[in-house]
Coordinates of all heavy atoms in Angstrom, one line a residue:
V1 N 113.5 43.9 76.5 CA 113.9 43.8 77.9 C 115.2 43.0 78.0 O 116.1 43.4 78.6 CB 112.8 43.2 78.8 CG1 113.3 43.0 80.2 CG2 111.6 44.2 78.9
Q2 N 115.2 41.8 77.3 CA 116.4 41.0 77.3 C 117.6 41.8 76.7 O 118.7 41.7 77.2 CB 116.2 39.7 76.6 CG 115.4 38.7 77.4 CD 115.1 37.5 76.6 OE1 115.1 37.5 75.4 NE2 114.9 36.4 77.3
F3 N 117.3 42.5 75.6 CA 118.4 43.3 74.9 C 119.0 44.3 75.9 O 120.2 44.3 76.1 CB 117.8 44.0 73.7 CG 118.8 44.9 73.0 CD1 119.8 44.4 72.2 CD2 118.8 46.2 73.3 CE1 120.7 45.2 71.6 CE2 119.7 47.1 72.7 CZ 120.7 46.6 71.9
W4 N 118.2 45.1 76.5 CA 118.7 46.1 77.4 C 119.4 45.5 78.6 O 120.3 46.1 79.1 CB 117.6 47.1 77.8 CG 117.3 48.1 76.7 CD1 116.1 48.2 76.0 CD2 118.1 49.0 76.0 NE1 116.2 49.1 75.0 CE2 117.4 49.6 75.0 CE3 119.5 49.4 76.2 CZ2 117.9 50.6 74.2 CZ3 120.0 50.4 75.4 CH2 119.2 51.0 74.4
G5 N 118.8 44.4 79.1 CA 119.5 43.7 80.2 C 120.9 43.3 79.9 O 121.8 43.3 80.8
G6 N 121.1 42.8 78.7 CA 122.4 42.4 78.2 C 123.4 43.6 78.0 O 124.6 43.5 78.2
V7 N 122.8 44.8 77.6 CA 123.6 45.9 77.3 C 124.0 46.6 78.6 O 125.2 47.0 78.8 CB 122.9 46.9 76.4 CG1 123.6 48.3 76.4 CG2 122.7 46.3 75.1
E8 N 123.1 46.8 79.5 CA 123.3 47.5 80.8 C 123.9 46.5 81.8 O 123.2 46.0 82.7 CB 122.1 48.2 81.2 CG 121.7 49.3 80.3 CD 120.3 49.8 80.5 OE1 119.5 49.2 81.3 OE2 120.0 50.9 79.9
S9 N 125.2 46.2 81.7 CA 125.8 45.2 82.5 C 126.8 45.9 83.4 O 126.9 47.1 83.5 CB 126.5 44.2 81.6 OG 127.6 44.9 80.9
S10 N 127.7 45.1 84.0 CA 128.7 45.6 84.9 C 129.7 46.6 84.1 O 130.3 47.4 84.7 CB 129.5 44.5 85.5 OG 130.1 43.7 84.5
E11 N 129.8 46.4 82.8 CA 130.6 47.3 82.0 C 130.1 48.7 81.9 O 130.9 49.6 81.7 CB 130.8 46.7 80.6 CG 131.5 45.4 80.6 CD 131.6 44.8 79.2 OE1 131.8 45.6 78.2 OE2 131.6 43.6 79.0
T12 N 128.8 48.9 82.1 CA 128.2 50.2 82.0 C 127.7 50.7 83.4 O 127.1 51.7 83.5 CB 127.1 50.3 81.0 OG1 126.1 49.3 81.3 CG2 127.6 50.0 79.6
E13 N 128.1 49.9 84.4 CA 127.6 50.2 85.8 C 128.1 51.6 86.2 O 129.1 52.1 85.8 CB 128.2 49.2 86.8 CG 127.6 49.3 88.1 CD 128.1 48.1 89.0 OE1 128.2 47.0 88.5 OE2 128.4 48.4 90.2
G14 N 127.2 52.3 86.9 CA 127.5 53.7 87.3 C 127.0 54.7 86.3 O 127.0 55.9 86.6
E15 N 126.7 54.3 85.1 CA 126.2 55.3 84.1 C 124.7 55.1 84.0 O 124.2 54.1 83.4 CB 126.9 55.0 82.8 CG 128.4 55.3 82.8 CD 129.0 55.2 81.4 OE1 128.3 54.8 80.4 OE2 130.1 55.5 81.2
K16 N 124.0 56.0 84.5 CA 122.5 56.0 84.4 C 122.2 56.8 83.2 O 122.2 58.0 83.1 CB 121.9 56.7 85.6 CG 121.7 55.7 86.8 CD 120.5 54.9 86.6 CE 120.1 54.3 87.9 NZ 119.2 53.2 87.7
T17 N 121.8 56.1 82.1 CA 121.4 56.7 80.9 C 120.0 56.3 80.5 O 119.8 55.1 80.4 CB 122.4 56.4 79.7 OG1 123.7 56.7 80.1 CG2 122.1 57.1 78.4
S18 N 119.2 57.2 80.3 CA 117.8 56.9 79.8 C 117.8 57.0 78.3 O 118.6 57.7 77.7 CB 116.8 57.9 80.4 OG 116.7 57.7 81.8
H19 N 116.8 56.4 77.7 CA 116.7 56.4 76.3 C 115.3 56.8 75.9 O 114.4 56.5 76.6 CB 117.0 55.0 75.7 CG 118.2 54.3 76.3 ND1 118.1 53.5 77.4 CD2 119.5 54.5 76.0 CE1 119.4 53.1 77.7 NE2 120.2 53.7 76.9
I20 N 115.2 57.4 74.7 CA 113.9 57.8 74.2 C 113.8 57.4 72.8 O 114.8 57.6 72.0 CB 113.7 59.3 74.4 CG1 112.2 59.7 74.1 CG2 114.7 60.2 73.7 CD1 111.9 61.1 74.6
T21 N 112.7 56.8 72.4 CA 112.5 56.4 71.0 C 111.9 57.6 70.2 O 110.9 58.2 70.6 CB 111.5 55.3 70.9 OG1 112.0 54.2 71.7 CG2 111.3 54.8 69.5
V22 N 112.6 58.0 69.1 CA 112.2 59.2 68.4 C 111.5 58.9 67.1 O 110.8 59.7 66.5 CB 113.4 60.2 68.2 CG1 113.9 60.7 69.5 CG2 114.5 59.5 67.4
D23 N 111.7 57.7 66.6 CA 111.0 57.3 65.4 C 111.0 55.8 65.3 O 111.8 55.1 65.9 CB 111.5 57.9 64.1 CG 113.0 57.5 63.8 OD1 113.3 56.4 63.9 OD2 113.7 58.4 63.4
A24 N 110.1 55.2 64.5 CA 110.1 53.8 64.4 C 109.4 53.4 63.0 O 108.5 54.2 62.6 CB 109.3 53.1 65.5
G25 N 109.8 52.3 62.5 CA 109.2 51.8 61.2 C 109.3 50.3 61.1 O 110.2 49.7 61.7
I26 N 108.3 49.7 60.4 CA 108.4 48.3 60.2 C 108.0 48.0 58.7 O 107.2 48.6 58.1 CB 107.4 47.6 61.2 CG1 107.6 46.1 61.1 CG2 106.0 48.0 60.9 CD1 107.0 45.3 62.3
N27 N 108.7 47.0 58.2 CA 108.4 46.5 56.9 C 108.1 45.0 56.9 O 108.9 44.2 57.2 CB 109.7 46.7 56.0 CG 109.5 46.3 54.6 OD1 108.5 45.7 54.2 ND2 110.5 46.6 53.8
Y28 N 106.8 44.7 56.7 CA 106.3 43.4 56.8 C 106.7 42.7 55.5 O 106.4 43.2 54.4 CB 104.8 43.3 57.0 CG 104.4 43.8 58.3 CD1 103.9 45.1 58.5 CD2 104.5 43.1 59.5 CE1 103.6 45.6 59.7 CE2 104.2 43.5 60.7 CZ 103.7 44.8 60.8 OH 103.3 45.3 62.1
K29 N 107.3 41.5 55.6 CA 107.7 40.7 54.4 C 106.8 39.5 54.1 O 106.6 39.2 52.9 CB 109.1 40.2 54.6 CG 110.1 41.3 55.0 CD 111.0 41.6 53.9 CE 112.0 42.6 54.3 NZ 112.7 43.2 53.2
Q30 N 106.3 38.9 55.1 CA 105.5 37.7 55.0 C 104.4 37.7 56.1 O 104.6 38.3 57.1 CB 106.3 36.4 55.1 CG 107.2 36.1 54.0 CD 106.6 35.7 52.7 OE1 105.5 35.1 52.8 NE2 107.1 36.1 51.6
Q31 N 103.4 37.0 55.9 CA 102.3 36.8 56.9 C 102.8 35.8 57.9 O 103.4 34.8 57.6 CB 101.1 36.3 56.2 CG 99.8 36.4 57.0 CD 98.6 36.1 56.2 OE1 98.7 35.5 55.1 NE2 97.4 36.4 56.7
A32 N 102.5 36.1 59.2 CA 102.7 35.1 60.3 C 101.3 34.7 60.9 O 100.4 35.4 60.7 CB 103.5 35.8 61.4
F33 N 101.3 33.6 61.5 CA 100.1 33.0 62.0 C 100.2 32.6 63.4 O 101.2 32.3 63.9 CB 99.7 31.8 61.1 CG 99.5 32.1 59.7 CD1 100.6 31.9 58.8 CD2 98.3 32.5 59.2 CE1 100.4 32.2 57.4 CE2 98.1 32.8 57.9 CZ 99.2 32.7 57.0
H34 N 99.0 32.7 64.1 CA 99.0 32.3 65.5 C 99.5 30.8 65.6 O 99.2 30.0 64.8 CB 97.5 32.3 66.0 CG 97.3 31.8 67.4 ND1 97.9 32.4 68.5 CD2 96.6 30.8 67.9 CE1 97.6 31.8 69.6 NE2 96.8 30.8 69.2
G35 N 100.3 30.6 66.6 CA 100.9 29.3 66.9 C 102.3 29.1 66.3 O 103.0 28.2 66.7
Q36 N 102.7 30.0 65.4 CA 104.1 29.9 64.9 C 105.0 30.5 66.0 O 104.7 31.4 66.8 CB 104.3 30.8 63.6 CG 103.6 30.2 62.4 CD 103.8 31.1 61.2 OE1 103.5 32.3 61.2 NE2 104.3 30.4 60.1
T37 N 106.3 30.0 65.9 CA 107.3 30.5 66.8 C 108.2 31.5 66.1 O 108.7 31.1 65.0 CB 108.1 29.4 67.4 OG1 107.3 28.4 68.1 CG2 109.2 29.9 68.4
L38 N 108.3 32.7 66.5 CA 109.0 33.7 65.9 C 110.3 34.0 66.7 O 110.3 34.0 67.9 CB 108.2 35.0 65.7 CG 106.9 34.8 64.9 CD1 106.1 36.2 64.9 CD2 107.1 34.2 63.6
K39 N 111.4 34.3 65.9 CA 112.6 34.7 66.6 C 112.8 36.2 66.2 O 112.7 36.6 65.0 CB 113.8 33.9 66.0 CG 115.1 34.3 66.5 CD 116.2 33.3 66.2 CE 116.6 33.4 64.7 NZ 117.8 32.7 64.4
V40 N 113.2 37.0 67.2 CA 113.5 38.4 67.0 C 115.0 38.6 67.3 O 115.4 38.4 68.4 CB 112.6 39.3 67.9 CG1 113.0 40.8 67.6 CG2 111.1 39.1 67.6
E41 N 115.7 39.1 66.2 CA 117.1 39.4 66.4 C 117.2 41.0 66.4 O 116.5 41.7 65.7 CB 117.9 38.9 65.2 CG 117.8 37.4 65.2 CD 118.5 36.9 63.9 OE1 117.7 36.8 62.9 OE2 119.7 36.5 63.9
I42 N 118.1 41.5 67.3 CA 118.2 42.9 67.5 C 119.7 43.3 67.3 O 120.5 42.7 67.9 CB 117.7 43.4 68.9 CG1 116.3 42.9 69.1 CG2 117.8 44.9 69.1 CD1 115.7 43.2 70.5
G43 N 119.9 44.4 66.6 CA 121.2 44.9 66.5 C 121.2 46.4 66.5 O 120.1 47.0 66.7
T44 N 122.3 47.1 66.3 CA 122.4 48.5 66.3 C 123.2 49.0 65.1 O 124.1 48.2 64.6 CB 123.2 49.0 67.6 OG1 124.5 48.4 67.7 CG2 122.4 48.7 68.9
N45 N 122.9 50.2 64.6 CA 123.7 50.8 63.6 C 123.4 52.3 63.5 O 122.6 52.8 64.3 CB 123.5 50.1 62.2 CG 122.1 50.3 61.6 OD1 121.3 51.1 62.1 ND2 121.8 49.6 60.6
D46 N 124.0 53.0 62.6 CA 123.8 54.4 62.3 C 124.0 55.2 63.6 O 123.2 56.1 64.0 CB 122.5 54.7 61.7 CG 122.4 54.2 60.3 OD1 123.4 54.0 59.7 OD2 121.2 54.0 59.8
F47 N 125.2 55.1 64.2 CA 125.5 55.9 65.4 C 125.7 57.3 65.1 O 126.3 57.6 64.1 CB 126.7 55.3 66.2 CG 126.4 54.0 66.9 CD1 126.4 52.8 66.3 CD2 126.1 54.1 68.3 CE1 126.2 51.7 67.0 CE2 125.8 53.0 69.0 CZ 125.9 51.7 68.4
S48 N 125.2 58.2 66.0 CA 125.6 59.6 65.9 C 126.2 60.0 67.3 O 126.3 59.1 68.1 CB 124.3 60.5 65.6 OG 123.4 60.5 66.7
S49 N 126.4 61.2 67.5 CA 126.9 61.6 68.8 C 125.9 61.4 70.0 O 126.3 61.2 71.1 CB 127.4 63.1 68.8 OG 126.3 63.9 68.6
K50 N 124.6 61.4 69.6 CA 123.6 61.3 70.7 C 122.6 60.2 70.5 O 121.8 60.0 71.4 CB 122.9 62.7 70.8 CG 123.8 63.8 71.1 CD 123.0 65.1 71.2 CE 124.0 66.2 71.6 NZ 123.4 67.5 71.7
G51 N 122.8 59.4 69.5 CA 121.8 58.3 69.3 C 122.3 57.3 68.3 O 123.4 57.3 67.8
F52 N 121.3 56.4 68.0 CA 121.6 55.2 67.2 C 120.3 54.6 66.8 O 119.2 55.0 67.3 CB 122.5 54.2 67.9 CG 121.9 53.8 69.2 CD1 121.1 52.7 69.3 CD2 122.2 54.5 70.4 CE1 120.6 52.3 70.5 CE2 121.7 54.1 71.6 CZ 120.8 53.0 71.7
D53 N 120.4 53.7 65.9 CA 119.2 52.9 65.5 C 119.2 51.5 66.1 O 120.3 50.9 66.1 CB 119.1 52.8 64.0 CG 118.6 54.1 63.3 OD1 118.1 55.0 64.0 OD2 118.8 54.1 62.0
L54 N 118.1 51.0 66.6 CA 117.9 49.6 66.9 C 117.3 49.0 65.7 O 116.3 49.6 65.1 CB 117.0 49.4 68.1 CG 117.6 49.7 69.5 CD1 116.5 49.4 70.5 CD2 118.8 48.8 69.7
V55 N 117.8 47.9 65.2 CA 117.3 47.3 64.0 C 116.8 45.9 64.4 O 117.5 45.2 65.2 CB 118.3 47.2 62.8 CG1 118.5 48.6 62.2 CG2 119.6 46.6 63.2
F56 N 115.7 45.4 63.8 CA 115.1 44.1 64.2 C 114.9 43.3 63.0 O 114.4 43.8 61.9 CB 113.7 44.4 64.9 CG 113.8 45.3 66.1 CD1 113.7 46.7 65.9 CD2 113.9 44.9 67.3 CE1 113.8 47.6 66.9 CE2 113.9 45.7 68.4 CZ 113.8 47.1 68.2
R57 N 115.1 42.0 63.1 CA 114.7 41.1 62.1 C 113.9 40.0 62.7 O 114.3 39.4 63.7 CB 115.9 40.4 61.4 CG 115.5 39.5 60.3 CD 116.7 39.0 59.5 NE 117.7 38.4 60.4 CZ 119.0 38.2 60.0 NH1 119.3 38.5 58.7 NH2 119.8 37.7 60.8
V58 N 112.7 39.7 62.2 CA 111.8 38.7 62.7 C 111.7 37.6 61.7 O 111.4 37.8 60.6 CB 110.4 39.3 63.0 CG1 109.4 38.2 63.6 CG2 110.4 40.5 63.9
T59 N 112.0 36.3 62.2 CA 111.9 35.2 61.3 C 111.1 34.1 62.0 O 111.0 34.0 63.2 CB 113.3 34.6 61.0 OG1 114.0 34.3 62.2 CG2 114.1 35.5 60.2
E60 N 110.5 33.2 61.2 CA 109.7 32.1 61.7 C 110.8 31.0 61.9 O 111.6 30.7 61.1 CB 108.7 31.6 60.6 CG 107.6 30.8 61.2 CD 108.0 29.3 61.4 OE1 108.7 28.8 60.5 OE2 107.6 28.7 62.4
V61 N 110.8 30.4 63.1 CA 111.8 29.5 63.6 C 111.9 28.3 62.7 O 113.0 27.9 62.3 CB 111.6 29.2 65.1 CG1 112.6 28.1 65.5 CG2 111.8 30.4 65.9
N62 N 110.8 27.6 62.4 CA 110.9 26.3 61.7 C 111.4 26.4 60.3 O 112.2 25.6 59.8 CB 109.6 25.6 61.8 CG 109.2 25.1 63.2 OD1 110.1 24.8 64.0 ND2 108.0 25.2 63.6
S63 N 110.9 27.4 59.6 CA 111.2 27.5 58.1 C 112.3 28.5 57.9 O 112.9 28.5 56.8 CB 110.0 28.0 57.4 OG 109.6 29.3 57.7
G64 N 112.6 29.4 58.8 CA 113.6 30.5 58.6 C 113.1 31.6 57.7 O 113.8 32.5 57.4
T65 N 111.8 31.6 57.4 CA 111.2 32.6 56.6 C 111.2 34.0 57.3 O 110.9 34.1 58.5 CB 109.7 32.3 56.3 OG1 109.7 31.0 55.6 CG2 109.1 33.4 55.4
E66 N 111.7 35.0 56.6 CA 111.7 36.3 57.2 C 110.3 36.9 57.2 O 109.7 36.9 56.2 CB 112.7 37.2 56.4 CG 112.8 38.6 57.0 CD 113.9 39.5 56.4 OE1 114.1 39.3 55.1 OE2 114.5 40.3 57.1
I67 N 109.9 37.3 58.3 CA 108.5 37.9 58.5 C 108.5 39.4 58.4 O 107.6 40.0 57.8 CB 107.9 37.4 59.9 CG1 107.9 35.9 60.0 CG2 106.5 38.0 60.1 CD1 107.1 35.2 58.9
A68 N 109.5 40.0 59.1 CA 109.5 41.5 59.1 C 110.9 42.0 59.5 O 111.7 41.3 60.0 CB 108.5 42.0 60.1
R69 N 111.1 43.3 59.1 CA 112.3 44.0 59.5 C 111.7 45.3 60.1 O 110.7 45.9 59.6 CB 113.2 44.3 58.4 CG 114.0 43.1 57.9 CD 115.1 43.5 57.0 NE 115.7 42.2 56.6 CZ 117.0 42.1 56.2 NH1 117.7 43.2 56.3 NH2 117.5 41.0 55.9
A70 N 112.4 45.8 61.1 CA 112.0 47.1 61.8 C 113.2 47.9 62.2 O 114.3 47.4 62.3 CB 111.1 46.7 63.0
K71 N 112.9 49.2 62.5 CA 113.9 50.1 63.0 C 113.3 51.0 64.0 O 112.2 51.4 63.8 CB 114.5 50.9 61.8 CG 115.6 51.9 62.2 CD 115.7 53.1 61.3 CE 114.7 54.2 61.6 NZ 115.0 55.2 62.4
A72 N 114.1 51.3 65.0 CA 113.7 52.3 66.0 C 114.8 53.3 66.2 O 115.9 52.9 66.5 CB 113.2 51.7 67.3
G73 N 114.6 54.6 66.0 CA 115.6 55.6 66.3 C 115.6 55.9 67.8 O 114.6 56.2 68.4
I74 N 116.8 55.8 68.4 CA 116.9 56.0 69.9 C 117.9 57.1 70.1 O 118.9 57.2 69.5 CB 117.5 54.7 70.5 CG1 116.7 53.4 70.1 CG2 117.7 54.8 72.0 CD1 115.3 53.4 70.7
L75 N 117.5 58.0 71.1 CA 118.4 59.0 71.6 C 118.6 58.8 73.1 O 117.7 58.4 73.8 CB 117.8 60.4 71.4 CG 117.7 60.9 69.9 CD1 117.0 62.2 69.8 CD2 119.1 61.0 69.3
C76 N 119.8 59.2 73.5 CA 120.1 59.2 75.0 C 119.5 60.5 75.5 O 119.6 61.5 74.9 CB 121.6 59.1 75.2 SG 122.3 57.6 74.8
Y77 N 118.8 60.3 76.7 CA 118.0 61.5 77.2 C 118.1 61.6 78.7 O 118.1 60.6 79.4 CB 116.5 61.2 76.8 CG 115.7 62.4 76.9 CD1 115.7 63.4 75.9 CD2 114.8 62.6 77.9 CE1 114.9 64.5 75.9 CE2 113.9 63.7 78.0 CZ 114.0 64.6 77.0 OH 113.2 65.7 77.0
D78 N 118.2 62.9 79.1 CA 118.3 63.2 80.5 C 116.9 63.7 80.9 O 116.5 64.9 80.5 CB 119.4 64.2 80.8 CG 119.5 64.6 82.3 OD1 118.5 64.5 83.0 OD2 120.6 64.9 82.7
Y79 N 116.1 62.9 81.6 CA 114.7 63.3 81.9 C 114.7 64.4 83.0 O 113.8 65.2 83.0 CB 113.9 62.1 82.4 CG 113.4 61.3 81.2 CD1 114.2 60.2 80.8 CD2 112.2 61.6 80.6 CE1 113.7 59.4 79.7 CE2 111.8 60.8 79.5 CZ 112.5 59.7 79.1 OH 112.1 59.0 78.0
E80 N 115.7 64.5 83.8 CA 115.7 65.6 84.8 C 115.9 67.0 84.1 O 115.2 67.9 84.4 CB 116.8 65.4 85.8 CG 116.5 64.4 86.9 CD 117.6 64.3 87.9 OE1 118.4 65.2 88.1 OE2 117.6 63.2 88.6
K81 N 116.8 67.0 83.2 CA 117.1 68.2 82.4 C 116.2 68.4 81.2 O 116.2 69.5 80.6 CB 118.6 68.3 82.0 CG 119.5 68.3 83.2 CD 121.0 68.3 82.8 CE 121.9 68.3 84.0 NZ 123.3 68.2 83.6
Q82 N 115.5 67.3 80.9 CA 114.6 67.4 79.7 C 115.4 67.7 78.4 O 115.0 68.6 77.7 CB 113.4 68.3 79.9 CG 112.4 67.9 81.0 CD 111.6 66.7 80.5 OE1 110.9 66.8 79.5 NE2 111.8 65.5 81.1
K83 N 116.5 67.0 78.2 CA 117.3 67.3 77.0 C 118.0 66.0 76.5 O 118.3 65.1 77.3 CB 118.2 68.4 77.2 CG 119.4 68.2 78.1 CD 120.3 69.4 78.2 CE 121.6 69.0 78.8 NZ 122.6 70.0 78.6
V84 N 118.3 66.0 75.3 CA 119.1 65.0 74.7 C 120.5 65.1 75.1 O 121.1 66.2 75.2 CB 119.0 65.0 73.1 CG1 119.9 64.0 72.4 CG2 117.5 64.9 72.7
I85 N 121.2 64.0 75.4 CA 122.6 64.0 75.8 C 123.5 63.1 74.9 O 122.9 62.2 74.3 CB 122.7 63.6 77.3 CG1 122.2 62.1 77.5 CG2 122.0 64.6 78.2 CD1 122.4 61.6 78.9
P86 N 124.8 63.3 74.9 CA 125.7 62.4 74.2 C 125.6 61.0 74.7 O 125.4 60.8 75.9 CB 127.0 63.0 74.4 CG 126.8 64.4 74.8 CD 125.5 64.4 75.5
I87 N 125.9 60.0 73.8 CA 126.0 58.6 74.2 C 127.2 58.5 75.1 O 128.3 58.8 74.6 CB 126.1 57.7 73.0 CG1 124.9 57.9 72.1 CG2 126.2 56.2 73.4 CD1 125.1 57.1 70.7
P88 N 127.1 57.9 76.3 CA 128.3 57.7 77.1 C 129.2 56.7 76.4 O 128.7 55.8 75.7 CB 127.7 57.1 78.4 CG 126.3 57.5 78.5 CD 125.9 57.6 77.0
E89 N 130.5 56.9 76.4 CA 131.5 56.1 75.7 C 131.4 54.6 76.0 O 131.4 53.8 75.1 CB 132.9 56.6 76.0 CG 133.9 56.1 75.0 CD 133.6 56.5 73.6 OE1 133.1 57.6 73.3 OE2 133.9 55.7 72.7
K90 N 131.2 54.3 77.3 CA 131.1 52.9 77.7 C 129.8 52.2 77.0 O 129.9 51.1 76.6 CB 131.0 52.7 79.2 CG 132.3 52.9 79.9 CD 132.1 52.7 81.4 CE 133.3 53.0 82.2 NZ 133.1 52.8 83.6
L91 N 128.7 53.0 77.0 CA 127.5 52.5 76.3 C 127.7 52.3 74.8 O 127.4 51.3 74.2 CB 126.3 53.4 76.6 CG 125.0 52.9 76.0 CD1 124.6 51.6 76.5 CD2 123.9 54.0 76.3
R92 N 128.4 53.3 74.2 CA 128.6 53.2 72.8 C 129.5 52.0 72.5 O 129.2 51.2 71.5 CB 129.4 54.5 72.3 CG 129.7 54.4 70.8 CD 130.6 55.6 70.4 NE 129.9 56.8 70.4 CZ 129.1 57.3 69.5 NH1 129.0 56.6 68.4 NH2 128.5 58.5 69.6
N93 N 130.5 51.8 73.3 CA 131.4 50.6 73.1 C 130.6 49.3 73.2 O 130.8 48.4 72.4 CB 132.6 50.6 74.0 CG 133.6 51.8 73.7 OD1 133.6 52.3 72.6 ND2 134.3 52.1 74.7
R94 N 129.8 49.2 74.2 CA 129.0 48.0 74.4 C 128.0 47.7 73.3 O 127.9 46.6 72.8 CB 128.2 48.2 75.8 CG 127.5 47.0 76.2 CD 128.4 45.9 76.8 NE 127.5 44.9 77.3 CZ 127.7 43.6 77.3 NH1 128.8 43.2 76.7 NH2 126.9 42.8 77.8
L95 N 127.4 48.8 72.8 CA 126.4 48.6 71.7 C 127.1 48.4 70.4 O 126.5 47.8 69.5 CB 125.6 49.9 71.6 CG 124.6 50.2 72.7 CD1 124.0 51.6 72.5 CD2 123.5 49.1 72.7
S96 N 128.3 48.8 70.2 CA 129.0 48.6 68.9 C 129.6 47.2 68.7 O 130.1 46.9 67.6 CB 130.2 49.6 68.8 OG 129.7 50.9 68.9
R97 N 129.5 46.4 69.7 CA 130.1 45.0 69.5 C 129.3 44.2 68.5 O 128.2 44.2 68.3 CB 130.1 44.3 70.9 CG 131.1 44.9 71.8 CD 131.1 44.0 73.0 NE 132.0 44.7 74.0 CZ 132.0 44.4 75.2 NH1 131.4 43.4 75.7 NH2 132.8 45.1 76.0

């Protein structure tokens, strides 16, 4: 939620783009335990004309130990027309930073 709140800012205002997750995967590296504080970092890569990947790295805050890496394939989607649409240029620019 924080990630999308930062992406969908005044720079992309006026562009109503919905997103749909088309695939996801996770690679667990270490065990985590109740009570630990975890940090999740999110980035983007592998852009195509209609989608991109969200990539995640999870680390334990105190030790810096990497707990997991994950990826979610995202497509821009028009729910009214029920079809995949190209990534709006303003959104692509904002995500590419």
